Amino acid sequence: MGHRVRKAVFPVGGMGTRFLPATKAMPKEMLPVVDKPLIQYAVEEAAAAGVEHFIFVTGRGKNALEDHFDYAPELERMLEERHKDEALDAVRRFMPRSGQISYTRQTEPLGLGHAVWCARHLVGGEPFAVILPDDLILADEPVLKQMTDVYDPLGGNLVAVQDVPREHTFRYGILDIETDDGKLAKAKGLVEKPKPADAPSTLSIIGRYILDPVVFSPLGRRMIGAGNEIQLTDALATTLAVVPFHGLRFEGVRFDCGDKVGFLQANVAFALHRPDLADDVRAALRDLVC
Ligand code: G1P
């Protein structure tokens, strides 16, 4: 089996307070970019990388997420009867098969590290992916696929990284770099959300991880880190002595959909990449801003 990544964890329990009132009764991962919810982009990216088991760590609004990845017989019948072929295709295009999705609940909002730890029994003892749906990436080749392509023979932990302006380091997990060939960087340390002056580099973790299951052991120790939360970055830092840690500079443009401006920008960028919409959207934008 080698290092094949068969499972992906999607932490989708966040409160989405930055998008209230839109997220009052709906998880933020259901917010659409153009016409597809963020979570579907994430699940499709995992599937494109060969993932077969999708593990959702939910908190609230679980129903909308579960229903989204379930058959909708009445809707499909109605679309069939009305010959709405395109709409029917959009509903059916990505539908995981029975048993491919598992849901578990994070019953306390203790942070990303804790959310990932909640998936430990579903993951078991094999390397697994973590995708943060807020980080949406427009790329010719899905970023998780770019990562699985280089994961063997690296093994250990591999994350997607990009350089950010130094004044933004406080928003990210930052690598302390040991070696760097411009594409792949090997880390000797990791810091979660350092102040710009304290950051060991400007190479930041973006929400795509392939992790060795050794990380569950430090996660279980419930170390409290930045923002008083159990941080995945801190647990990963403790595994540096045991397994290698690499950051891959991916090809693509990343949008922070946890932020209003980033979310709006993602909508425009993805719409401009849609052959069926690009011309109309460009004309509409020109009307607005000129
Ligand atoms: C999380 C991680 C951080 C990472 C970021 C990427 O932070 O803790 O290390 O750089 O995602 O988006 P969050 O954005 O959830 O605060």
Side-chain angles (χ1 to χ4, degrees), residues 7 55 119-128 211-214 216:
K7 301 185 179 188
I55 301 166
R120 67 201 178 282
H121 294 303
L122 290 163
V123 168
E126 58 186 281
F128 64 103
L211 301 180
D212 188 290
V214 292
F216 289 123

Side-chain angles (χ1 to χ4, degrees), residues 152-216:
D152 218 352
L154 297 172
N157 297 314
L158 175 68
V159 299
V161 292
Q162 71 178 17
D163 276 299
V164 298
R166 184 163 278 274
E167 60 270 27
H168 291 169
T169 56
F170 69 94
R171 297 181 189 162
Y172 300 96
I174 302 287
L175 274 63
D176 188 358
I177 300 166
E178 182 180 320
T179 57
D180 187 355
D181 69 6
K183 180 90 185 148
L184 204 59
K186 187 165 195 275
K188 59 177 183 318
L190 295 169
V191 195
E192 179 68 9
K193 300 193 168 72
K195 291 195 198 96
D198 302 334
S201 80
T202 55
L203 203 54
S204 307
I205 300 176
I206 300 308
R208 301 289 181 280
Y209 306 73
I210 298 178
L211 301 180
D212 188 290
V214 292
V215 73
F216 289 123

Side-chain angles (χ1 to χ4, degrees), residues 15-36:
M15 295 288 286
T17 46
R18 279 195 274 180
F19 280 92
L20 283 168
T23 50
K24 187 178 172 204
M26 174 185 86
K28 66 175 171 171
E29 294 78 13
M30 287 302 295
L31 288 170
V33 168
V34 186
D35 50 13
K36 207 157 62 172

Side-chain angles (χ1 to χ4, degrees), residues 55-70:
I55 301 166
F56 284 33
V57 182
T58 65
R60 53 184 276 285
K62 179 181 159 139
N63 296 353
L65 286 164
E66 281 200 29
D67 289 347
H68 186 72
F69 291 102
D70 195 4

